[in-house]
Amino acid sequence: MALTASRYGKERVRVLRLARDGDHHTPRELTLSVMLTGRFDAAWTDGDNRACIATDSIKNIVNVTAARNLTLDAEAFVAAVARVLLDTYPQVETVAIEAEEIRWLRHVIAHAPHNHTFTRDGNGTGFVALAASRAGSTLKSGLRGYTFMKTTQSGWSDFVADQYRTLPDTTDRIAATSMDATWTWQSPPSDYGAANAHVLATLLAVFGSTYSRGVQDSMYRMGEAALAAVPELAAIGFVMPNKHYLPIDLTAFDLDNPGAVFLPTDEPYGRIEATISRSG
């Protein structure tokens, strides 16, 4: 029997590069598929792996290339990864890379682009819920899946230290979430669209411009600020899962990683919920 086609590689290699110019940060997040063809037929036909490159090594090449090229755009970055593979391994004949980019938009706070607060492009969906009877009604508005992050001015420390804890304290980390927020109206505003926009702007201004001791800390202060800014609100509720960005250990490659290259992870994740109301 003839082996007429074969290739292999690594799928869903996720990496976030964070270029820092003082407190002005630029994140670049990609999910890559890296597939190779070459002189690997013996691995299929004879169980001979001597020419094979571990797919874990392909992932490591992406991460090392990221650490060495923090500011390349997506097109130049995938070219750099392909060049490393072709220059390193003579048995590789072709490299096929596809990369999906999560585009982070610099958020505007107080009429100026913020140095380290970002919202995801193509973000979230609006939400409305009405419960009505002859006795009255309750109207709620909000957002679902609104994703934002800041790349500094966030920590998580002084939490329970016991035999199960492995997470160290940190005073500087990426804070990111995909927020569901629901606010309940106690009276109708003059313009729902403008009021909803004002709620969101207030939430993001508090999140982006103040130090966060944890999602709980930011959530409560965001809710307080929204209720103060929009008097027609009775309450606001949040569901804010953590979107984790974990620093990648590159010491095996004699590279330092001073908060520049991160692994984005979806699960498992922390889920934080709260409702802040005008009255108890």
Side-chain angles (χ1 to χ4, degrees):
M1 299 294 179
L3 178 68
T4 56
S6 62
R7 68 175 188 162
Y8 81 105
K10 199 75 163 178
E11 288 282 300
R12 295 195 58 77
V13 182
R14 302 180 65 185
V15 65
L16 180 137
R17 295 171 289 149
L18 184 60
R20 299 171 183 256
D21 181 9
D23 65 353
H24 183 85
H25 297 177
T26 303
R28 296 174 173 90
E29 182 173 349
L30 293 173
T31 301
L32 297 92
S33 164
V34 184
M35 299 297 294
L36 310 178
T37 67
R39 298 190 295 277
F40 307 119
D41 286 7
W44 276 267
T45 60
D46 302 316
D48 181 350
N49 297 324
R50 286 177 293 175
C52 284
I53 305 147
T55 63
D56 189 64
S57 297
I58 297 171
K59 176 204 69 179
N60 291 338
I61 286 169
V62 172
N63 292 336
V64 169
T65 305
R68 292 173 174 162
N69 298 277
L70 295 178
T71 61
L72 292 183
D73 58 25
E75 290 80 1
F77 179 71
V78 298
V81 172
R83 189 164 54 249
V84 172
L85 288 160
L86 292 169
D87 289 349
T88 305
Y89 305 107
Q91 68 271 41
V92 173
E93 294 173 355
T94 68
V95 179
I97 302 177
E98 295 183 0
E100 296 179 354
E101 183 173 13
I102 291 178
R103 291 176 292 184
W104 290 103
L105 306 177
R106 196 173 299 280
H107 188 61
V108 174
I109 297 177
H111 308 293
H114 198 264
N115 280 336
H116 52 257
T117 303
F118 305 88
T119 59
R120 183 170 173 168
D121 193 14
N123 211 354
T125 55
F127 172 81
V128 176
L130 176 68
S133 70
R134 290 180 178 82
S137 63
T138 300
L139 179 64
K140 298 180 179 181
S141 302
L143 291 163
R144 294 292 179 267
Y146 194 88
T147 302
F148 51 94
M149 78 171 177
K150 61 180 177 181
T151 51
T152 189
Q153 291 296 303
S154 172
W156 176 243
S157 60
D158 297 328
F159 50 96
V160 171
D162 59 16
Q163 69 269 33
Y164 300 109
R165 173 177 160 173
T166 59
L167 195 67
D169 283 355
T170 182
T171 58
D172 189 8
R173 65 172 184 169
I174 292 177
T177 188
S178 181
M179 175 184 72
D180 290 353
T182 305
W183 43 94
T184 303
W185 300 100
Q186 64 181 358
S187 61
S190 59
D191 183 328
Y192 279 107
N196 288 335
H198 191 31
V199 172
L200 178 59
T202 301
L203 299 178
L204 293 175
V206 172
F207 175 81
S209 62
T210 63
Y211 184 81
S212 172
R213 295 175 177 83
V215 175
Q216 293 90 332
D217 172 50
S218 288
M219 181 185 289
Y220 183 77
R221 290 184 292 104
M222 291 162 67
E224 279 190 314
L227 293 175
V230 181
E232 295 87 356
L233 296 185
I236 183 168
F238 299 97
V239 178
M240 291 172 64
N242 277 320
K243 293 178 67 68
H244 295 294
Y245 290 84
L246 307 177
I248 296 174
D249 184 358
L250 298 173
T251 55
F253 311 101
D254 296 322
L255 290 173
D256 191 17
N257 182 13
V261 183
F262 298 83
L263 172 64
T265 63
D266 286 329
E267 52 188 28
Y269 57 82
R271 177 184 170 106
I272 298 95
E273 301 182 14
T275 300
I276 297 92
S277 304
R278 293 192 183 277
S279 58

